Amino acid sequence: MLIVKDLALKYNEKTIFENLSFKLGKGEILAVKGKNGSGKTSLCLALAGLMRNEEKINLSGDIFYDGKNISGLSIFEKCLEVGLVFQNPENQIFSPLVTEEMVFAPENLAILREEMARRLQNTLKICGIEHLKSKKTSELSGGEKQLLALASVLTMQPKLLIVDEITSRIDSDNKEKVHGILKDYAKQGNSVIIVTHSEKDLEIADKLLLMGEKTKSED
Amino acid sequence: MKRDPRVKLIYILLLTTLAILAKDVIYISAIVLVTIIVNICLGTNILRAIKRISFYVSFIVFITLVQSLTVKGGTPLIYIGDFVFVSTTGIIFALEFLLRMLVIILSGIIATSTDGREMADGMQKMGVPYEFVFMSGIALRFFPIFSDEFRARLNAITMRGINIKKLPFRKKIRLYGYLMSPTISGCVLRSEQLSISVEARGFRALQHRTMYRELKMGLYDWLFLAVGIVFGAGFLFVNYYIGSFIPIL
Amino acid sequence: MKIEIKNLSFRYSKKSPNVLENLSYIFEGGNIYFLEGKNGVGKTTLGKIIMGLLKPTSGYISFDGEDSSKIKPADRAKKIGYMFQNPALQLFAPTVFDELAFPFEIMGTMDEHIKDNIQKALKKFNLYEAKDRSPLTMSYGEMQRLALAGISLRNVDFLILDEPSSALDEEGRNFLISYLEDFSRNGGGVILFSHDEDTLSKINGVIEIVLDNGSIR
């Protein structure tokens, strides 16, 4: 279970968001919606424990994963808890080959080869990108890259999956597929946070978090 | 012929080292010949690869010519009065440089014609720390990223109705200068974001990582390697025992 | 303005299959076209071919009857405003203001009237507060608005926008829709490459077309 308590973020003394508190249980999908510049991506980074320790950035409050404060977790422990799919896949994809990109996380987490192969095959199938298996990442279209970005985090099998505007560049067939993937992932006992502007994405969510004003609300 | 990347890495190291240690042009020529043979055995397309880097090859030829003109000694070949333009020593030095560069280029072709990931796995298996392998791979990939970004921005300028070719020279220089800063900033930003995304996927989470690709040296890999080592040992023996065939004139 | 495409085919290399195959279509000014298609089907490729950034393997494109093969990309861009899928790659000036001023400065056409237009565009596209900021520090949605603001300063007859609303919030999306409807009411043509059904459902009089198997239906 994810518990967020009084989370606040200031950048150069300017408040991005404050008084942010919510809970997300296993099997639940939370949609995060808000205007451009309201701090949605920053929230994703904070939840994933990836906020940089800089003078300009002031992050306060607590984030607990199953009772453990995220600030006390190692990189390895964080990766087991949370996976983040970035808004712009160009900022995430770096390998020349599709399979290489997908096995990067399991290799880092010392997953054994047989299990890695199983996760790779399974994830290619789930994401509907088996036909891209032997392709170079430079040959992929924007939407295909977005699917690959999702797949390369799914091979990590985090308990909480955060996806930042994942359907923005995907065609309608694949959007439905992504919705299916996220719902299935939640049904397996994991949690999902989807940051979105799309009304269709909201349909799969159990909860909604609106960002944009200084006080937040949770439905 | 598909060989284990570790065999290729050892050959690259062996051939470039021998080229540096070789006493004279005759020895270096032998290394050049062996490097060509190794490339053929590994199935690389030398001519196509050289065509792709023709700019650098022309640059090396240019440096060779400069060397032949600037290094003096031995018997003058082209001179006016006391001023010597080209001498035998100059030609020999220039030839040595050219041939050594040729070995480096041909060895580089072995590396570039191999899947980057295979080479990275090979280096890891040989004990090179993964962080170093990873960073070298990313650094190499940033060159094409940098040039892609620069080209994309040039396209963006064209799409604003500006015909870059028709701009006066001064404005063109100003334009390219203008683009360098955001292209570099773009690359820096991208590298920052990339560092966050790889950390998000467990980079340096553990001391040891596993490898998806299985590397196993087969019989032919060992034989190929053995031939290289025997050749290397024999070459060094002849190189140092017999010495140079060409006295410095 | 009319953009006519006739029997257009394109492939990236001799070994690769045709991305576009005998594609024929006429885009007319005064209309908003919403071009959909599966990921990888060739929407961005089509946009780049129309703008002259890619050369077709065969076929013909004309602008108001004039053969496009004789028209350089920069000259096409004087009539057609093009927005890339990744707006970050088309922004390069040190500040938002400079981003809009740059083309006029480099062409030597900057004057008080244009400076005034730039100020108006900044306000219209809700970028006035950010005018001294670096475009690279902006959010994706803000970059998309800035790219569109840049196009709005040129008197183009057509707009080709590649995923212009992918990162826009509801307010940004509504603004984009009203801008495009206004543009087409004034005789301009718009071609949108997009998957955004929320935007599609809100545009009045939009012509929905699909790129599939290399051609438009």
Side-chain angles (χ1 to χ4, degrees):
Chain A
M1 174 169 241
L2 167 68
I3 298 175
V4 174
K5 238 178 172 176
D6 298 323
L7 202 65
L9 175 68
K10 279 190 182 152
Y11 186 82
N12 269 341
E13 297 307 312
K14 186 186 165 197
T15 302
I16 307 295
F17 58 77
E18 60 184 359
N19 301 323
L20 193 55
S21 299
F22 64 89
K23 291 180 190 173
L24 189 64
K26 288 181 184 172
E28 290 187 323
I29 301 177
L30 170 72
V32 178
K33 201 178 170 203
K35 290 182 183 198
N36 289 124
S38 59
K40 303 186 295 297
T41 298
S42 300
L43 174 62
C44 293
L45 290 172
L47 291 175
L50 296 167
M51 213 61 175
R52 283 281 177 257
N53 217 0
E54 283 171 31
E55 264 179 48
K56 294 184 246 185
I57 297 171
N58 188 350
L59 181 71
S60 60
D62 293 301
I63 299 168
F64 295 99
Y65 286 94
D66 287 335
K68 292 171 277 183
N69 195 316
I70 195 170
S71 55
L73 297 179
S74 65
I75 297 175
F76 179 75
E77 286 165 332
K78 263 190 261 186
C79 288
L80 296 178
E81 294 294 340
V82 55
L84 172 58
V85 182
F86 288 70
Q87 181 179 30
N88 185 357
E90 304 284 350
N91 294 337
Q92 181 176 325
I93 296 170
F94 67 93
S95 308
L97 298 173
V98 167
T99 43
E100 211 181 297
E101 186 68 28
M102 287 179 67
V103 299
F104 178 67
E107 283 181 336
N108 288 332
L109 301 177
I111 304 296
L112 295 176
R113 193 173 286 125
E114 294 80 27
E115 171 63 12
M116 231 190 288
R118 190 195 65 78
R119 286 190 193 188
L120 175 66
Q121 273 312 118
N122 208 29
T123 311
L124 283 166
K125 199 174 171 192
I126 291 170
C127 294
I129 53 170
E130 283 154 298
H131 61 290
L132 301 177
K133 186 178 178 179
S134 338
K135 272 198 158 182
K136 290 184 184 166
T137 52
S138 55
E139 293 169 354
L140 303 182
S141 68
E144 287 170 337
K145 282 183 183 169
Q146 206 142 33
L147 288 170
L148 173 60
L150 172 63
S152 65
V153 173
L154 283 175
T155 49
M156 212 164 73
Q157 293 184 352
K159 290 180 198 166
L160 168 64
L161 177 67
I162 306 174
V163 290
D164 193 352
E165 308 234 27
I166 192 164
T167 58
S168 56
R169 269 171 274 200
I170 293 182
D171 60 52
S172 49
D173 287 347
N174 279 322
K175 258 187 207 146
E176 275 186 46
K177 197 179 284 169
V178 168
H179 288 161
I181 293 166
L182 297 178
K183 280 195 283 194
D184 285 341
Y185 199 71
K187 273 192 196 138
Q188 289 165 29
N190 303 299
S191 316
V192 176
I193 294 178
I194 174 165
V195 174
T196 184
H197 289 300
S198 161
E199 297 297 324
K200 275 233 143 119
D201 288 347
L202 297 179
E203 288 170 14
I204 65 165
D206 305 301
K207 295 179 174 184
L208 172 65
L209 178 66
L210 286 169
M211 296 181 72
E213 307 305 316
K214 281 187 181 163
T215 50
K216 307 296 157 214
S217 63
E218 183 192 345
D219 289 327
Chain B
M1 200 195 299
K2 196 161 164 49
R3 292 275 72 85
D4 188 285
R6 287 166 289 184
V7 173
K8 291 180 187 178
L9 281 164
I10 291 170
Y11 261 92
I12 290 168
L13 207 58
L14 178 73
L15 294 167
T16 48
T17 306
L18 292 178
I20 291 165
L21 295 174
K23 294 265 182 186
D24 61 35
V25 287
I26 294 175
Y27 285 107
I28 308 171
S29 302
I31 298 297
V32 171
L33 186 64
V34 167
T35 315
I36 292 171
I37 294 169
V38 168
N39 267 283
I40 293 169
C41 290
L42 294 172
T44 61
N45 191 333
I46 301 174
L47 289 169
R48 192 170 66 171
I50 288 182
K51 224 178 177 179
R52 257 193 282 150
I53 54 164
S54 54
F55 169 75
Y56 300 104
V57 172
S58 328
F59 184 68
I60 289 163
V61 168
F62 171 73
I63 299 287
T64 307
L65 287 169
V66 168
Q67 280 228 317
S68 66
L69 294 171
T70 53
V71 175
K72 311 288 178 211
T75 310
L77 295 172
I78 301 171
Y79 54 92
I80 295 173
D82 283 338
F83 193 82
V84 179
F85 289 100
V86 180
S87 64
T88 50
T89 307
I91 299 252
I92 289 167
F93 266 67
L95 264 173
E96 284 181 3
F97 170 79
L98 181 66
L99 290 170
R100 285 196 171 105
M101 288 310 298
L102 203 54
V103 171
I104 291 170
I105 288 170
L106 291 168
S107 305
I109 288 169
I110 296 173
T112 55
S113 61
T114 310
D115 178 41
R117 176 63 190 219
E118 260 191 54
M119 289 300 253
D121 287 348
M123 285 166 78
Q124 249 194 285
K125 272 276 189 179
M126 285 168 75
V128 178
Y130 177 71
E131 286 86 352
F132 178 81
V133 172
F134 177 82
M135 284 189 290
S136 321
I138 293 288
L140 284 172
R141 262 170 239 142
F142 259 82
F143 286 109
I145 286 174
F146 185 88
S147 76
D148 282 348
E149 288 228 350
F150 196 79
R151 216 175 304 127
R153 286 195 165 90
L154 282 176
N155 277 343
I157 288 179
T158 306
M159 290 297 98
R160 296 197 202 188
I162 299 168
N163 191 337
I164 299 169
K165 284 183 185 154
K166 282 192 178 159
L167 282 179
F169 182 75
R170 250 199 201 161
K171 282 195 174 168
K172 221 183 267 187
I173 296 294
R174 191 180 148 210
L175 181 75
Y176 285 126
Y178 216 50
L179 289 181
M180 284 302 283
S181 170
T183 307
I184 293 169
S185 310
C187 282
V188 169
L189 253 170
R190 199 147 167 196
S191 68
E192 272 179 26
Q193 282 155 350
L194 180 63
S195 77
I196 297 174
S197 93
V198 298
E199 189 185 320
R201 284 180 290 161
F203 182 66
R204 299 185 79 190
L206 300 168
Q207 279 274 68
H208 299 287
R209 28 183 347 266
T210 45
M211 275 166 50
Y212 175 64
R213 204 189 296 253
E214 200 171 351
L215 286 180
K216 264 194 184 142
M217 296 256 295
L219 175 65
Y220 287 111
D221 290 318
W222 286 112
L223 280 172
F224 201 71
L225 193 60
V227 166
I229 291 169
V230 166
F231 167 78
F235 181 90
L236 284 172
F237 177 78
V238 174
N239 190 50
Y240 285 105
Y241 189 71
I242 296 176
S244 175
F245 290 104
I246 300 173
I248 302 290
L249 300 166
Chain C
M1 186 181 178
K2 190 164 80 171
I3 301 175
E4 187 177 348
I5 304 173
K6 230 174 176 176
N7 300 327
L8 192 78
S9 294
F10 177 81
R11 58 172 187 256
Y12 279 98
S13 69
K14 281 185 187 154
K15 289 181 194 170
S16 56
N18 273 347
V19 174
L20 303 172
E21 185 103 46
N22 283 326
L23 191 154
S24 295
Y25 200 80
I26 299 175
F27 294 100
E28 307 228 22
N31 292 327
I32 301 178
Y33 300 87
F34 192 94
L35 182 69
E36 292 178 287
K38 288 189 191 294
N39 292 121
V41 82
K43 303 186 292 296
T44 300
T45 304
L46 176 61
K48 286 183 174 175
I49 292 173
I50 295 173
M51 297 310 296
L53 295 173
L54 289 172
K55 278 202 174 79
T57 314
S58 63
Y60 172 86
I61 297 179
S62 69
F63 303 122
D64 285 334
E66 194 185 343
D67 182 4
S68 70
S69 58
K70 299 184 181 95
I71 309 174
K72 297 234 179 318
D75 295 324
R76 296 186 202 200
K78 286 180 177 141
K79 292 277 181 192
I80 308 171
Y82 182 73
M83 187 158 108
F84 291 79
Q85 199 176 97
N86 183 1
L89 286 179
Q90 64 185 104
L91 305 172
F92 48 81
T95 68
V96 166
F97 184 90
D98 291 333
E99 192 64 49
L100 299 179
F102 168 77
F104 304 102
E105 279 174 357
I106 205 85
M107 297 301 284
T109 56
M110 177 61 92
D111 59 23
E112 286 308 315
H113 173 68
I114 288 172
K115 275 190 192 157
D116 196 41
N117 283 345
I118 292 172
Q119 298 286 1
K120 285 182 183 155
L122 285 168
K123 286 178 183 149
K124 185 176 178 180
F125 286 83
N126 198 15
L127 294 165
Y128 193 79
E129 306 287 317
K131 67 179 165 65
D132 296 319
R133 268 176 66 189
S134 162
L136 293 176
T137 61
M138 294 169 101
S139 71
Y140 220 64
E142 287 169 326
M143 285 187 199
Q144 282 178 321
R145 270 189 278 135
L146 178 55
L148 192 59
I151 295 171
S152 76
L153 287 168
R154 309 197 320 267
N155 287 327
V156 295
D157 299 322
F158 240 96
L159 293 174
I160 298 179
L161 310 178
D162 198 346
E163 302 279 5
S165 60
S166 60
L168 292 180
D169 55 24
E170 197 172 328
E171 197 183 317
R173 206 180 295 138
N174 291 337
F175 173 78
L176 172 71
I177 291 166
S178 88
Y179 178 82
L180 297 179
E181 285 175 347
D182 210 34
F183 185 81
S184 82
R185 256 196 302 272
N186 289 325
V190 179
I191 308 172
L192 290 172
F193 300 134
S194 181
H195 297 295
D196 188 355
E197 284 153 354
D198 293 329
T199 301
L200 169 65
S201 61
K202 289 177 181 166
I203 303 175
N204 287 320
V206 68
I207 299 171
E208 198 180 337
I209 49 178
V210 180
L211 181 59
D212 187 26
N213 278 329
S215 54
I216 290 177
R217 53 180 175 83

